[in-house]
Every structure is written in structure tokens, then in C-alpha cells.
Amino acid sequence: MNIYKKLEKLEAVRRQVSAGVCLIGTGVIIFFISMGIFQSGVWSFIGLAIGVVGGLLIPGTHERYKVIYKELFVQEPLEKNFDDVFYAWRAGFDLETVNAFDLCKKGNQIESEDYVKAVYNGIGFEMAEVVLKDKYKSQRSGENICFHGRMIVFDYQGKCVDGTRIYSKYFYRKPADTAFGKNKVEMESSRFNGIFDIYSEDAHDAFYLLTPDFMEVLERLQKKYEGIGLRFYGNKVVAGFCEVNDAFDKNDWIAKEVVYPEEIEKVQGDIDDIKIIIDMVCRR
């Protein structure tokens, strides 16, 4: 199926949902007007019937939309940019794995999807969308959210820099164990220090990692994401990009038709962020 056929199918699903929503709204209006003004049993029945028809149009549409969208705007771009791609959008990281990353405060409830495993320029990585929660915390103002965004685990081939962490000031919640806080490192750039907190058991490791070019990249990424965190351990580096909207989804799919160039540009931008982390850090 070519691009145009897939776009037509996406739009057909979107129109079906829009029609269903309109019918439900129309049915509700007719029902309440008939009951309040005309007190007509016939018109109230008609209103209910219209609402029911609208409701029957909606179930399953989001799933059908996501299947087409993921193939067109996620699977295909991933395969164009990376090697050995395995993509399972219904799968993700499990709770034990995410807590073991020790990138943020540990949670006890997880939602995760859009699992990707691939290789870029010889460097393997895995990633998934993650919503990590503490179900015992208050949900007021998102207090129970430990992390919301993308977590990515890269193979790391550079000098051993165990214990080094990089967090933007707006990163959701750092790990509960703040023992690493005593190892805070100040970089030479006061502007960078105002945006990021750096922790390392050896200050030389932080200076080794944070070249001027990499600091510039991190500053640019911070303008895009709500928060950024990186943790180096062994031959791995785990990165977290905090964002409210999932990277590989169209959240306004009911209200807005897909514009192919715009959607591809958005997804490609998220893919390029992965590539630049690998080029700047993992291949050193």
C-alpha cells in the first residue's frame, strides 16, 4: 500500500470518529431540548437513537488509526535511519527494568509502549515511551509522576565514567537516593551551570564528556524537551527526554488531518535527537 492509500485510510478513520462525535452531540441536544421544551417522547427517542448510532461509529477507531500511523510515520522512518530495527509499538520497558535504570525516582506503576531496538553506526540502543508513577502519591499537580517521556539505553564505547549524571533543572524527579549530590561538578560555562546539574565521582570524567559541542547540543535539546537526564554506568548510558506528548503519536488525531511533510519532519526530528546523542557521546 502506497503513502497516498495509507493517508486516505487515516483520514477515513478520522472522519468516522468525527461523524460519531457529531452524532452523539446532536443526539444529546435533541434529547434534552425535547424533554425540556417539547416534552416529547418521540423526539427524545430520536435523540437517543442518533446518539447511539454515533457511539457505534467510534469503538476500535483509535486502534485502527494507530496501526496505520505507526507503520507510515514510525516504522518506515526508523528503518530508513537505523539498521536491524525491531519495533513493537504495543510493547515497552517493564517496571523492574526502568527502576534499575536509576535515572529518576523509582515508581511502582508503569505504562510503556513504542519499544524500539536498533543499531546506528555500529552502536546498539533500545528505547520506549514511559510513564512511571508512584500510585501512593497524590495525583494533584502530577505529584505521582516520576517520569513521563522517552527512555533510551545506548551502548557506550568511551572511557569508563561510572557515576556520572547530567540533569537539566526541569528534569521530573531525580532518584530518591541523592548521595551522588555531594559530587556536583561546576562547568566553566555559567550559562550551562544555570541549565544543568552535573554529578560525577571524578570531575575529570565530566569534563571529558561535556565538550563545548556537546554542551551546545544539550542546551538546544533542553529548549525542545521539558527535561533531560543522562546516567553513565558500565558500558551503557541511559537518557531520559521528558515530554507530555508521546513522540511517536498524533495526539490531536481527531481534530486535525495529517499533513504528511509536517508529520514526517516531527518524527525525523525525534530520530535525529537519538543520532546526535550517539555521535556525541557513545562513539568516543
Side-chain angles (χ1 to χ4, degrees):
M1 187 185 301
N2 63 32
I3 290 173
Y4 301 105
K5 290 290 186 183
K6 291 176 182 177
L7 289 172
E8 287 174 4
K9 288 188 71 174
L10 278 178
E11 182 58 15
V13 175
R14 190 187 72 84
R15 286 198 300 265
Q16 180 177 332
V17 176
S18 297
V21 171
C22 288
L23 286 173
I24 291 172
T26 302
V28 169
I29 291 170
I30 291 174
F31 176 81
F32 282 107
I33 288 177
S34 65
M35 294 295 288
I37 299 176
F38 303 111
Q39 297 184 346
S40 168
V42 174
W43 278 102
S44 63
F45 176 78
I46 291 173
L48 283 173
I50 292 173
V52 168
V53 170
L56 291 174
L57 292 175
I58 294 176
T61 51
H62 193 201
E63 180 79 4
R64 297 206 319 266
Y65 191 95
K66 288 181 80 169
V67 168
I68 303 167
Y69 180 91
K70 300 287 189 182
E71 180 182 349
L72 181 57
F73 292 109
V74 185
Q75 180 84 40
E76 292 180 8
L78 286 172
E79 290 176 349
K80 287 179 181 178
N81 284 270
F82 302 120
D83 299 320
D84 301 331
V85 174
F86 173 77
Y87 176 52
W89 67 268
R90 292 182 179 88
F93 293 133
D94 60 32
L95 179 63
E96 183 179 359
T97 298
V98 169
N99 280 335
F101 289 157
D102 195 29
L103 182 68
C104 61
K105 182 182 180 298
K106 287 181 170 55
N108 45 42
Q109 194 173 54
I110 192 171
E111 299 168 18
S112 186
E113 65 173 22
D114 277 322
Y115 175 81
V116 179
K117 184 175 183 180
V119 175
Y120 174 65
N121 284 347
I123 302 295
F125 68 91
E126 297 176 86
M127 73 175 179
E129 294 288 337
V130 172
V131 180
L132 184 65
K133 300 179 181 178
D134 182 348
K135 64 182 179 181
Y136 301 114
K137 279 278 189 180
S138 167
Q139 295 189 28
R140 177 170 49 86
S141 301
E143 290 178 1
N144 69 325
I145 301 294
C146 303
F147 180 86
H148 188 172
R150 262 186 301 164
M151 284 195 176
I152 315 169
V153 186
F154 305 94
D155 293 338
Y156 174 68
Q157 297 181 347
K159 168 190 170 185
C160 179
V161 289
D162 273 2
T164 301
R165 298 170 182 262
I166 303 168
Y167 290 107
S168 67
K169 303 288 187 181
Y170 302 106
F171 190 82
Y172 274 99
R173 285 174 175 81
K174 298 181 180 70
D177 179 7
T178 57
F180 57 84
K182 65 183 179 182
N183 298 317
K184 189 170 182 180
V185 178
E186 294 289 322
M187 306 304 293
E188 293 180 358
S189 169
S190 58
R191 184 181 66 186
F192 188 81
N193 292 332
I195 303 172
F196 290 92
D197 292 325
I198 313 300
Y199 306 96
S200 185
E201 295 176 5
D202 186 338
H204 291 93
D205 291 343
F207 286 101
Y208 164 78
L209 289 169
L210 289 161
T211 62
D213 286 345
F214 187 41
M215 287 194 290
E216 184 178 331
V217 165
L218 288 174
E219 289 182 25
R220 178 180 62 79
L221 290 175
Q222 178 55 47
K223 294 177 181 177
K224 177 178 179 179
Y225 298 101
E226 292 193 353
I228 300 172
L230 294 98
R231 178 195 168 216
F232 293 80
Y233 63 102
N235 62 347
K236 300 287 185 182
V237 52
V238 58
F241 295 145
C242 304
E243 50 191 342
V244 174
N245 296 320
D246 293 343
F248 295 146
D249 279 310
K250 183 169 177 58
N251 296 285
D252 59 349
W253 68 281
I254 296 176
K256 188 177 179 183
E257 182 180 353
V258 164
V259 178
Y260 184 80
E262 292 180 6
E263 210 65 24
I264 283 292
E265 183 180 1
K266 177 179 77 72
V267 173
Q268 186 63 49
D270 293 325
I271 288 173
D272 288 343
D273 293 341
I274 299 167
K275 294 163 96 172
I276 199 165
I277 293 292
I278 291 175
D279 287 336
M280 283 284 177
V281 177
C282 300
R283 303 189 66 210
R284 303 188 62 172

